Amino acid sequence: ISPSPDGEKIAVIRRQTPGKLDQFNQLWILDRDGNNAELITYNIQSVDWHPTKNELALSYNPNATAYSYLFTLNLETNNLKLWNSKKDQFFDTYTSACNGWFNDGENILMTVTGQAYQQDYERGIYSINVTDSTHRGPYKILFAASALGNNDQWVVGLQYSTSNLSSNRALYNLDTDEFQWLTSYHTDSDSLRRYTGYPVINPSGPEIIISKFVDNAWQLYQINQFGKVVEQLTELGGERPRWSRGVDYFTFIRDINKAPGARYIPFKYDFSTGE
Protein backbone atom coordinates (compact mmCIF):
# COMPACT_ATOMS: atom_id res chain seq x y z
CA ILE A 1 0.00 0.00 0.00
CA SER A 2 1.26 3.50 -0.85
CA PRO A 3 -0.79 6.71 -0.59
CA SER A 4 -0.53 9.68 -2.94
CA PRO A 5 1.15 12.86 -1.62
CA ASP A 6 -2.23 14.53 -1.01
CA GLY A 7 -3.67 11.39 0.58
CA GLU A 8 -6.63 11.29 -1.82
CA LYS A 9 -5.51 8.18 -3.73
CA ILE A 10 -3.99 4.87 -2.70
CA ALA A 11 -1.90 2.44 -4.73
CA VAL A 12 -2.22 -1.16 -3.55
CA ILE A 13 -0.93 -4.52 -4.69
CA ARG A 14 -3.62 -7.18 -4.54
CA ARG A 15 -2.48 -10.76 -4.80
CA GLN A 16 -5.50 -11.85 -6.83
CA THR A 17 -9.14 -10.99 -7.55
CA PRO A 18 -11.02 -14.24 -6.88
CA GLY A 19 -13.37 -15.32 -9.63
CA LYS A 20 -12.66 -12.33 -11.84
CA LEU A 21 -8.98 -12.04 -12.76
CA ASP A 22 -6.36 -14.75 -12.79
CA GLN A 23 -3.28 -12.49 -12.90
CA PHE A 24 -1.31 -12.31 -9.67
CA ASN A 25 0.09 -9.27 -7.82
CA GLN A 26 -2.26 -6.73 -9.36
CA LEU A 27 -1.54 -3.01 -9.04
CA TRP A 28 -4.72 -1.02 -8.33
CA ILE A 29 -5.26 2.71 -7.74
CA LEU A 30 -8.36 3.75 -5.81
CA ASP A 31 -9.83 6.62 -3.84
CA ARG A 32 -8.96 6.82 -0.16
CA ASP A 33 -12.46 5.57 0.72
CA GLY A 34 -12.00 2.47 -1.44
CA ASN A 35 -14.10 3.60 -4.42
CA ASN A 36 -13.23 4.06 -8.12
CA ALA A 37 -10.70 1.24 -8.16
CA GLU A 38 -8.70 1.01 -11.41
CA LEU A 39 -6.49 -1.91 -12.40
CA ILE A 40 -3.17 -0.59 -13.71
CA THR A 41 -1.11 -3.73 -14.35
CA TYR A 42 0.00 -6.95 -12.67
CA ASN A 43 3.14 -8.93 -11.71
CA ILE A 44 4.17 -6.03 -9.45
CA GLN A 45 6.47 -6.73 -6.50
CA SER A 46 6.49 -3.29 -4.92
CA VAL A 47 5.05 0.19 -5.40
CA ASP A 48 6.04 3.55 -3.91
CA TRP A 49 4.32 6.86 -4.68
CA HIS A 50 6.54 9.86 -5.42
CA PRO A 51 6.83 12.29 -2.45
CA THR A 52 5.27 15.22 -4.37
CA LYS A 53 4.16 14.06 -7.84
CA ASN A 54 1.64 11.65 -9.37
CA GLU A 55 4.38 9.21 -10.25
CA LEU A 56 5.04 5.66 -9.10
CA ALA A 57 8.22 3.63 -8.72
CA LEU A 58 7.53 -0.03 -9.49
CA SER A 59 9.24 -3.39 -9.37
CA TYR A 60 7.90 -5.59 -12.16
CA ASN A 61 8.45 -9.32 -11.79
CA PRO A 62 6.97 -11.42 -14.62
CA ASN A 63 5.65 -14.85 -13.75
CA ALA A 64 7.32 -15.02 -10.32
CA THR A 65 10.78 -15.45 -11.86
CA ALA A 66 14.13 -14.23 -10.57
CA TYR A 67 14.05 -11.34 -13.05
CA SER A 68 13.01 -7.91 -11.71
CA TYR A 69 12.60 -4.70 -13.65
CA LEU A 70 12.62 -1.18 -12.21
CA PHE A 71 10.05 1.18 -13.76
CA THR A 72 8.69 4.64 -13.09
CA LEU A 73 5.14 5.45 -14.20
CA ASN A 74 3.86 9.02 -14.55
CA LEU A 75 0.12 8.81 -13.90
CA GLU A 76 -0.63 12.15 -15.62
CA THR A 77 1.21 11.49 -18.89
CA ASN A 78 1.16 7.65 -18.75
CA ASN A 79 4.89 7.79 -19.46
CA LEU A 80 6.48 4.48 -18.45
CA LYS A 81 10.27 4.35 -18.15
CA LEU A 82 12.51 1.33 -17.64
CA TRP A 83 15.70 1.85 -15.63
CA ASN A 84 17.49 -1.47 -16.05
CA SER A 85 18.07 -4.39 -18.45
CA LYS A 86 19.02 -2.33 -21.53
CA LYS A 87 22.51 -2.64 -22.99
CA ASP A 88 23.15 1.12 -22.94
CA GLN A 89 22.24 1.39 -19.25
CA PHE A 90 24.67 0.96 -16.37
CA PHE A 91 22.34 -1.60 -14.77
CA ASP A 92 22.22 -3.61 -17.96
CA THR A 93 20.62 -6.75 -16.54
CA TYR A 94 17.10 -7.33 -15.26
CA THR A 95 17.94 -7.99 -11.62
CA SER A 96 17.28 -4.63 -9.97
CA ALA A 97 14.26 -4.08 -7.73
CA CYS A 98 12.79 -0.81 -6.48
CA ASN A 99 12.83 -0.11 -2.74
CA GLY A 100 11.31 3.39 -2.71
CA TRP A 101 11.84 7.09 -3.36
CA PHE A 102 14.19 9.27 -1.39
CA ASN A 103 12.57 12.42 0.00
CA ASP A 104 14.22 14.58 -2.71
CA GLY A 105 11.98 12.92 -5.32
CA GLU A 106 14.92 12.48 -7.69
CA ASN A 107 16.57 9.32 -6.38
CA ILE A 108 15.25 5.78 -5.94
CA LEU A 109 16.72 3.21 -3.60
CA MET A 110 17.25 -0.07 -5.42
CA THR A 111 18.56 -3.56 -4.72
CA VAL A 112 20.66 -5.40 -7.28
CA THR A 113 20.29 -9.18 -7.03
CA GLY A 114 21.34 -12.08 -9.25
CA GLN A 115 24.49 -14.09 -9.60
CA ALA A 116 27.79 -12.31 -10.08
CA TYR A 117 28.41 -13.81 -13.51
CA GLN A 118 25.31 -12.10 -14.86
CA GLN A 119 26.64 -8.55 -14.41
CA ASP A 120 29.78 -6.47 -14.07
CA TYR A 121 28.65 -4.76 -10.88
CA GLU A 122 28.24 -6.02 -7.33
CA ARG A 123 25.05 -7.25 -5.76
CA GLY A 124 23.85 -4.84 -3.07
CA ILE A 125 22.02 -1.54 -2.59
CA TYR A 126 22.34 1.50 -4.87
CA SER A 127 20.49 4.70 -5.64
CA ILE A 128 19.61 5.84 -9.14
CA ASN A 129 18.81 9.44 -10.13
CA VAL A 130 15.79 9.65 -12.44
CA THR A 131 16.70 13.14 -13.72
CA ASP A 132 20.16 12.37 -15.12
CA SER A 133 20.34 8.52 -14.91
CA THR A 134 23.41 8.61 -12.66
CA HIS A 135 23.81 6.19 -9.80
CA ARG A 136 25.57 5.85 -6.45
CA GLY A 137 26.76 2.70 -4.77
CA PRO A 138 26.99 -0.04 -3.93
CA TYR A 139 26.48 1.36 -0.46
CA LYS A 140 26.52 -2.12 1.04
CA ILE A 141 27.43 -5.31 -0.85
CA LEU A 142 25.13 -8.35 -0.55
CA PHE A 143 22.46 -6.24 1.17
CA ALA A 144 18.83 -6.53 0.03
CA ALA A 145 16.76 -3.55 1.17
CA SER A 146 13.17 -3.78 2.38
CA ALA A 147 12.57 -0.19 3.53
CA LEU A 148 14.15 3.27 3.66
CA GLY A 149 13.49 5.48 6.68
CA ASN A 150 14.55 7.84 9.47
CA ASN A 151 14.66 10.76 7.01
CA ASP A 152 16.61 8.78 4.40
CA GLN A 153 19.34 7.85 6.88
CA TRP A 154 18.62 4.15 7.49
CA VAL A 155 17.99 1.17 5.26
CA VAL A 156 16.71 -2.10 6.71
CA GLY A 157 16.57 -5.46 5.01
CA LEU A 158 18.58 -8.67 4.61
CA GLN A 159 22.34 -8.94 4.77
CA TYR A 160 23.71 -12.04 3.06
CA SER A 161 26.98 -13.73 3.97
CA THR A 162 29.76 -14.25 1.45
CA SER A 163 30.24 -17.93 2.29
CA ASN A 164 26.92 -19.79 2.13
CA LEU A 165 24.56 -16.88 1.33
CA SER A 166 22.70 -17.30 4.60
CA SER A 167 21.12 -14.06 5.77
CA ASN A 168 19.60 -12.15 8.67
CA ARG A 169 17.74 -8.88 9.19
CA ALA A 170 20.05 -5.90 9.38
CA LEU A 171 20.29 -2.09 9.34
CA TYR A 172 22.65 0.08 7.30
CA ASN A 173 23.24 3.79 7.97
CA LEU A 174 23.65 5.67 4.68
CA ASP A 175 25.09 8.75 6.43
CA THR A 176 27.75 7.07 8.55
CA ASP A 177 28.33 3.78 6.69
CA GLU A 178 27.62 1.93 9.95
CA PHE A 179 26.13 -1.56 9.88
CA GLN A 180 24.13 -3.34 12.56
CA TRP A 181 22.55 -6.78 12.79
CA LEU A 182 18.89 -6.74 13.87
CA THR A 183 18.60 -10.53 14.16
CA SER A 184 21.22 -13.22 14.54
CA TYR A 185 20.69 -16.95 14.24
CA HIS A 186 24.03 -17.53 15.97
CA THR A 187 22.81 -16.34 19.38
CA ASP A 188 19.01 -16.43 19.43
CA SER A 189 16.97 -19.24 17.93
CA ASP A 190 13.87 -17.00 17.94
CA SER A 191 15.65 -14.69 15.52
CA LEU A 192 15.94 -17.24 12.76
CA ARG A 193 14.86 -15.63 9.52
CA ARG A 194 11.84 -17.89 9.18
CA TYR A 195 10.54 -16.59 12.51
CA THR A 196 10.88 -12.88 11.72
CA GLY A 197 9.35 -10.71 9.02
CA TYR A 198 10.93 -7.85 7.11
CA PRO A 199 11.57 -4.78 9.30
CA VAL A 200 9.89 -1.47 8.45
CA ILE A 201 11.11 2.02 9.48
CA ASN A 202 9.18 5.19 10.18
CA PRO A 203 10.08 7.34 7.14
CA SER A 204 10.45 10.38 9.42
CA GLY A 205 11.88 8.81 12.58
CA PRO A 206 13.96 6.00 14.09
CA GLU A 207 11.08 3.67 15.05
CA ILE A 208 11.49 0.18 13.56
CA ILE A 209 8.61 -2.31 13.40
CA ILE A 210 9.18 -6.03 12.92
CA SER A 211 6.95 -9.10 13.03
CA LYS A 212 7.97 -12.17 15.01
CA PHE A 213 6.42 -15.63 15.15
CA VAL A 214 5.87 -16.22 18.87
CA ASP A 215 3.62 -18.83 20.53
CA ASN A 216 2.22 -19.99 17.18
CA ALA A 217 1.22 -16.50 16.02
CA TRP A 218 2.76 -13.51 14.25
CA GLN A 219 2.97 -10.42 16.47
CA LEU A 220 4.34 -6.92 15.88
CA TYR A 221 7.18 -5.44 17.92
CA GLN A 222 9.01 -2.16 18.01
CA ILE A 223 12.78 -2.65 18.04
CA ASN A 224 15.65 -0.18 18.20
CA GLN A 225 18.57 0.16 15.81
CA PHE A 226 20.46 -2.55 17.71
CA GLY A 227 17.70 -5.13 17.32
CA LYS A 228 16.54 -4.93 20.96
CA VAL A 229 12.80 -5.12 21.61
CA VAL A 230 11.36 -1.82 22.85
CA GLU A 231 7.73 -2.91 23.09
CA GLN A 232 5.31 -5.58 21.91
CA LEU A 233 2.61 -3.75 19.94
CA THR A 234 0.02 -6.46 19.24
CA GLU A 235 -1.45 -9.37 21.15
CA LEU A 236 -4.10 -10.56 18.68
CA GLY A 237 -1.74 -10.98 15.75
CA GLY A 238 -0.10 -8.80 13.12
CA GLU A 239 2.30 -9.03 10.19
CA ARG A 240 3.52 -7.27 7.02
CA PRO A 241 3.67 -3.72 8.43
CA ARG A 242 3.87 -0.76 6.02
CA TRP A 243 4.69 2.79 7.12
CA SER A 244 4.15 5.57 4.57
CA ARG A 245 5.83 8.96 4.71
CA GLY A 246 4.14 11.90 6.39
CA VAL A 247 1.87 9.96 8.78
CA ASP A 248 2.09 8.83 12.40
CA TYR A 249 0.63 5.39 11.83
CA PHE A 250 1.45 2.19 10.00
CA THR A 251 -0.77 -0.44 8.42
CA PHE A 252 -0.56 -4.21 8.84
CA ILE A 253 -2.63 -7.33 8.27
CA ARG A 254 -4.10 -9.73 10.81
CA ASP A 255 -5.52 -13.21 10.44
CA ILE A 256 -8.92 -12.94 12.16
CA ASN A 257 -10.05 -16.49 11.34
CA LYS A 258 -9.74 -18.64 14.45
CA ALA A 259 -10.73 -21.74 12.53
CA PRO A 260 -8.46 -23.62 10.07
CA GLY A 261 -7.46 -21.41 7.17
CA ALA A 262 -6.64 -17.72 7.07
CA ARG A 263 -8.68 -14.57 6.59
CA TYR A 264 -6.44 -11.51 6.45
CA ILE A 265 -7.88 -8.09 7.29
CA PRO A 266 -5.99 -4.78 7.07
CA PHE A 267 -5.56 -2.73 10.25
CA LYS A 268 -4.07 0.64 11.10
CA TYR A 269 -1.90 1.18 14.20
CA ASP A 270 -1.75 4.76 15.49
CA PHE A 271 1.75 5.05 16.86
CA SER A 272 1.08 8.31 18.73
CA THR A 273 -1.76 6.81 20.81
CA GLY A 274 -0.87 3.12 20.78
CA GLU A 275 -4.33 2.26 19.44
Side-chain angles (χ1 to χ4, degrees):
I1 184 170
S2 184
S4 62
D6 60 10
E8 294 302 315
K9 296 282 187 178
I10 299 174
V12 298
I13 298 173
R14 191 180 196 191
R15 185 177 182 272
Q16 197 176 13
T17 302
K20 294 182 179 180
L21 296 169
D22 293 330
Q23 297 94 337
F24 284 89
N25 299 325
Q26 305 162 3
L27 174 64
W28 291 78
I29 294 180
L30 54 154
D31 295 342
R32 62 181 299 172
D33 61 4
N35 292 319
N36 299 316
E38 179 185 2
L39 177 64
I40 305 300
T41 185
Y42 49 91
N43 289 336
I44 299 299
Q45 280 181 309
S46 64
V47 57
D48 190 41
W49 212 304
H50 191 280
T52 59
K53 300 177 181 178
N54 279 329
E55 188 169 359
L56 304 177
L58 308 170
S59 291
Y60 173 72
N61 181 249
N63 303 319
T65 65
Y67 307 130
S68 294
Y69 300 83
L70 172 60
F71 283 95
T72 51
L73 172 62
N74 188 307
L75 297 172
E76 295 180 356
T77 65
N78 288 325
N79 181 41
L80 184 68
K81 187 164 184 179
L82 177 64
W83 293 97
N84 66 328
S85 79
K86 294 183 178 180
K87 292 183 179 180
D88 59 343
Q89 294 175 326
F90 177 81
F91 300 105
D92 56 1
T93 58
Y94 34 67
T95 55
S96 307
C98 162
N99 302 117
W101 293 96
F102 283 81
N103 288 328
D104 61 15
E106 293 186 355
N107 290 278
I108 297 175
L109 179 69
M110 59 187 294
T111 294
V112 170
T113 58
Q115 298 298 323
Y117 64 81
Q118 293 177 318
Q119 58 216 16
D120 294 329
Y121 40 90
E122 295 277 4
R123 286 169 285 176
I125 49 175
Y126 296 76
S127 61
I128 185 166
N129 190 300
V130 297
T131 59
D132 58 16
S133 300
T134 58
H135 74 279
R136 295 184 63 186
Y139 298 102
K140 183 64 175 171
I141 295 174
L142 295 179
F143 196 98
S146 65
L148 173 69
N150 197 16
N151 295 306
D152 293 348
Q153 295 183 57
W154 293 353
V155 180
V156 291
L158 282 178
Q159 176 66 52
Y160 289 88
S161 68
T162 56
S163 55
N164 56 7
L165 289 184
S166 62
S167 62
N168 264 276
R169 316 303 183 188
L171 181 147
Y172 177 74
N173 191 317
L174 291 169
D175 287 350
T176 64
D177 199 36
E178 293 176 294
F179 173 83
Q180 177 67 48
W181 290 109
L182 297 178
T183 62
S184 174
Y185 61 85
H186 297 296
T187 59
D188 183 2
S189 61
D190 182 53
S191 294
L192 284 164
R193 184 171 55 151
R194 61 183 174 177
Y195 295 123
T196 58
Y198 284 99
V200 170
I201 312 176
N202 180 354
S204 304
E207 295 83 12
I208 305 171
I209 311 300
I210 196 169
S211 55
K212 291 188 175 187
F213 194 73
V214 180
D215 295 331
N216 298 314
W218 287 98
Q219 304 289 359
L220 294 177
Y221 294 80
Q222 179 190 355
I223 62 174
N224 63 20
Q225 69 188 87
F226 306 107
K228 303 299 182 182
V229 172
V230 176
E231 183 183 5
Q232 182 174 340
L233 303 179
T234 62
E235 294 181 353
L236 300 178
E239 54 187 300
R240 300 186 191 177
R242 297 288 184 271
W243 201 327
S244 299
R245 63 173 56 87
V247 296
D248 200 20
Y249 63 84
F250 61 86
T251 60
F252 64 96
I253 62 172
R254 171 180 289 165
D255 179 9
I256 66 168
N257 193 351
K258 297 181 180 179
R263 183 186 178 198
Y264 289 107
I265 299 296
F267 281 81
K268 181 173 77 171
Y269 186 97
D270 191 321
F271 203 81
S272 62
T273 64
E275 298 179 347

